[in-house]
Amino acid sequence: MECSICSLGHSDKLPFHCVTCARNSIYAPRLESARVLIDNDQLSKEIASLTKITNINDQDPDQGDGSRRWILEKRRIAAHQSKSRAMALQEHRTVLSAEIAKMKEELSQRKAMLNKRRTTLDKIRDAIPQKRQEKTESLDSKVQQQEADMNTNHRRTRESRAFLAREAATLMRLRHVRSEKRGKTLDYYSIGGIFLPDLREMNNIRPEELTTALTNLAHLLVLAAHYLAVRLPAEITLPHRAYPLPTIFLPAQSYLLQDIPFPGLATSHSSTSSLILGKHDQINKSIPRPRPLYIDQKLPKIAHEDPNQYNHFMEGVSLLAWDLAWLCRTQGSVEGTESWEEICCIGKNIYHLLGSKSTSSLSARSRHRANDAADPGSEATETPLSGNERIVKRHKSFGHLGEFSHGSTRSFLGSVEGHSLVRGWKYSRFSLVVDNLKKTLLGEMTGAEWELLDEKDFADLNQDTTDGEAVVIGRDEDKDERPNNDKPRGVSGWTKLRERPS
């Protein structure tokens, strides 16, 4: 059909070109839709008239059979739906019954398993105290055995350390000689035949003797500390290549692992040399300066001519004596360390530490061995002790040489119990010793009113006596009473009293 306006026919491939063509194309569908709506309305009225009667007994006789059939059909549909629901409910009941039975069976199995576990748990609980006791006894026996083994090993190590230290003292000929003269008992201590002086008497000792004595003592002290596995607070440097004489460092400058050159002998005592040394020290402030353990002139002369060297030497010998006293205290020997005068008795202290075996030490050791023979694990067998009680019980032998050291974790000197050996020590700082020693020696030199003469000066002594009256006095009486002293009195040192002005 062609449009009267555009004269074009419409097809699926040819779009509309005007409104008239589009309106004409939808006339037929619109008419069909109207017819369907009219038929639908008519059918709805019929259905409504048929469904008005709800009870078959109440229907009017004028109504037709259509309403009756509708009621019957409706009842049949309701009965069918009820039957379907009943069957669905029956099937659901069957499924639920099966699940309930399955759950009951599972619950019974779980109850049986829980009962079995509960029974096993009761048995385990009943057996726990006995097993705990058995395990505790087993562990206690192992701990006691290990404690006994550790005590045995530590005792053997301690005895080995003490043996090596004492053997070193024996090989270096550490001796104690006692002599009685004029009803007075005198004790002398020597190493290698060189007597160890009391530091308070250094003013009257020849420099060669004093240097040799201090060298021998430093050597023996370093050997003893090495064998006892103890690090001394003030490091001692023994003579070695390009280092001919011993020195000692301050505690704050010890063990710095630096290559320190030998400070050299202070041969010049002029003020110019002191200034040069002072400038040298300012240049090398970072290098610690060791304190000498040697002198080349008598001590009063050094004090007068070179106070700086004198102070360093006094610090050196005080540090050496203080090192020895500290070692004595750490090894349980308190005797000889309670006053600065006792600390200055270096010969007595080194002999008491390495050369003598006191009765108390021997009796303690014999009791200790008797206890070990009776019960090897006696030191750890008694029931549960606190930490401090175990420490005290374990270290009954505080007085034994080699008990505490830096070489083992047991009886370690760096521990609390190790620090307790020097805790409360009055002379824990060496400055207390050096101050008192310098004060004593300087006071002796100041109040004596004499000057020392060397042996070369003694040759001119006869000529000096012709110029004025002079009195020659020998050395200190105690020094001349050394045993086996074949030298005549006064050879080692002489004094000449100055003439008092009239």
Side-chain angles (χ1 to χ4, degrees):
M1 179 179 179
E2 294 180 357
C3 179
S4 59
I5 297 173
C6 60
S7 300
L8 293 176
H10 172 70
S11 65
D12 296 333
K13 294 182 180 181
L14 185 64
F16 298 107
H17 292 277
C18 64
V19 178
T20 304
C21 292
R23 187 183 298 115
N24 292 335
S25 64
I26 63 174
Y27 274 153
R30 290 178 67 185
L31 291 175
E32 184 64 24
S33 176
R35 186 182 63 79
V36 169
L37 291 175
I38 292 171
D39 293 341
N40 188 21
D41 185 45
Q42 186 178 358
L43 289 174
S44 298
K45 290 179 179 181
E46 292 179 358
I47 292 171
S49 63
L50 291 174
T51 56
K52 283 182 180 178
I53 301 175
T54 57
N55 192 352
I56 192 170
N57 296 322
D58 297 337
Q59 66 177 346
D60 296 333
D62 297 335
Q63 293 181 350
D65 294 336
S67 298
R68 184 179 182 85
R69 285 197 303 270
W70 169 252
I71 294 172
L72 292 175
E73 184 65 21
K74 188 174 180 181
R75 290 179 177 177
R76 186 181 64 80
I77 291 172
H80 180 71
Q81 291 177 349
S82 299
K83 187 177 181 181
S84 298
R85 286 197 299 271
M87 291 178 63
L89 291 174
Q90 185 64 27
E91 292 176 358
H92 186 62
R93 179 176 175 277
T94 305
V95 172
L96 290 178
S97 298
E99 292 180 355
I100 290 172
K102 184 178 179 180
M103 292 298 295
K104 285 182 178 179
E105 183 180 359
E106 186 177 352
L107 286 175
S108 61
Q109 293 177 356
R110 288 187 178 183
K111 285 182 179 180
M113 182 177 60
L114 290 175
N115 291 332
K116 184 178 180 180
R117 289 183 178 180
R118 191 176 290 109
T119 304
T120 305
L121 182 61
D122 293 338
K123 292 181 180 179
I124 293 174
R125 283 178 178 174
D126 295 338
I128 281 176
Q130 183 179 359
K131 289 185 177 180
R132 182 185 289 113
Q133 185 177 1
E134 293 175 356
K135 288 291 184 181
T136 304
E137 292 176 356
S138 175
L139 289 175
D140 286 343
S141 62
K142 289 181 180 179
V143 169
Q144 292 169 8
Q145 184 62 37
Q146 291 179 359
E147 188 76 16
D149 294 342
M150 289 178 63
N151 292 335
T152 303
N153 293 334
H154 181 68
R155 186 173 65 252
R156 290 175 180 174
T157 304
R158 183 189 65 222
E159 291 175 354
S160 300
R161 290 171 180 167
F163 172 77
L164 291 174
R166 290 193 173 108
E167 280 298 306
T170 303
L171 292 176
M172 291 191 67
R173 294 188 298 161
L174 176 63
R175 299 289 185 269
H176 172 213
V177 179
R178 179 174 294 173
S179 63
E180 293 185 4
K181 286 188 178 181
R182 301 177 185 178
K184 187 177 180 181
T185 302
L186 302 176
D187 293 323
Y188 299 101
Y189 304 89
S190 64
I191 298 178
I194 304 298
F195 288 95
L196 298 175
D198 190 328
L199 298 185
R200 294 170 293 175
E201 300 175 357
M202 289 190 298
N203 284 335
N204 301 323
I205 303 175
R206 295 171 58 186
E208 295 82 4
E209 292 182 1
L210 183 58
T211 299
T212 306
L214 294 177
T215 301
N216 291 342
L217 177 62
H219 192 187
L220 180 56
L221 188 58
V222 169
L223 282 178
H226 172 70
Y227 290 135
L228 295 175
V230 174
R231 193 177 79 167
L232 298 173
E235 181 184 5
I236 299 174
T237 304
L238 295 179
H240 54 276
R241 184 176 182 180
Y243 210 99
L245 293 171
T247 58
I248 188 169
F249 288 90
L250 296 175
Q253 298 175 351
S254 299
Y255 308 103
L256 298 180
L257 302 179
Q258 295 183 7
D259 188 10
I260 307 299
F262 181 65
L265 292 174
T267 55
S268 176
H269 305 286
S270 63
S271 59
T272 305
S273 64
S274 300
L275 292 175
I276 294 174
L277 287 175
K279 292 180 180 178
H280 182 72
D281 290 341
Q282 290 178 1
I283 295 174
N284 300 287
K285 285 183 179 179
S286 60
I287 300 178
R289 180 174 182 178
R291 299 306 187 252
L293 294 176
Y294 54 85
I295 52 175
D296 58 347
Q297 291 182 341
K298 286 194 174 182
L299 203 56
K301 189 173 183 180
I302 297 176
H304 177 69
E305 297 182 357
D306 194 346
N308 189 26
Q309 183 192 359
Y310 176 79
N311 291 332
H312 284 177
F313 176 73
M314 294 301 296
E315 289 179 358
V317 293
S318 300
L319 282 170
L320 184 64
W322 182 70
D323 261 357
L324 177 57
W326 181 88
L327 183 61
C328 290
R329 289 192 71 92
T330 55
Q331 301 308 310
S333 177
V334 182
E335 182 181 354
T337 63
E338 294 298 329
S339 65
W340 74 270
E341 293 89 350
E342 294 178 348
I343 294 176
C344 290
C345 299
I346 53 178
K348 181 180 179 181
N349 290 340
I350 191 66
Y351 185 81
H352 182 74
L353 178 66
L354 301 177
S356 65
K357 296 181 180 179
S358 62
T359 308
S360 61
S361 231
L362 290 175
S363 61
R365 179 173 296 182
S366 61
R367 289 196 303 270
H368 185 67
R369 288 181 176 176
N371 292 336
D372 288 346
D375 185 4
S378 60
E379 293 189 1
T381 47
E382 297 190 1
T383 11
L385 299 174
S386 66
N388 294 331
E389 291 174 348
R390 290 179 68 88
I391 290 173
V392 172
K393 187 173 181 64
R394 190 176 65 190
H395 299 299
K396 290 179 179 178
S397 54
F398 277 165
H400 287 172
L401 182 64
E403 177 72 27
F404 284 87
S405 69
H406 291 113
S408 59
T409 55
R410 187 183 178 91
S411 301
F412 181 57
L413 270 176
S415 62
V416 176
E417 49 187 322
H419 283 299
S420 64
L421 297 173
V422 292
R423 186 183 298 117
W425 186 27
K426 181 180 178 181
Y427 295 93
S428 58
R429 293 183 292 110
F430 83 97
S431 58
L432 300 176
V433 179
V434 68
D435 291 342
N436 289 315
L437 182 59
K438 286 168 63 176
K439 181 179 179 181
T440 300
L441 294 179
L442 290 175
E444 180 181 346
M445 286 185 288
T446 303
E449 293 187 357
W450 46 258
E451 64 177 351
L452 294 175
L453 297 180
D454 296 332
E455 291 183 3
K456 63 181 182 179
D457 298 328
F458 176 67
D460 301 331
L461 185 61
N462 293 330
Q463 298 178 0
D464 295 338
T465 55
T466 60
D467 298 333
E469 293 184 359
V471 180
V472 177
I473 301 176
R475 297 181 62 187
D476 187 14
E477 182 180 353
D478 293 345
K479 295 297 179 180
D480 296 327
E481 292 180 356
R482 291 181 180 175
N484 302 326
N485 188 3
D486 298 333
K487 296 182 180 181
R489 294 177 61 184
V491 171
S492 298
W494 295 87
T495 60
K496 176 182 176 183
L497 294 181
R498 297 177 179 175
E499 267 188 301
R500 296 183 179 274
S502 56

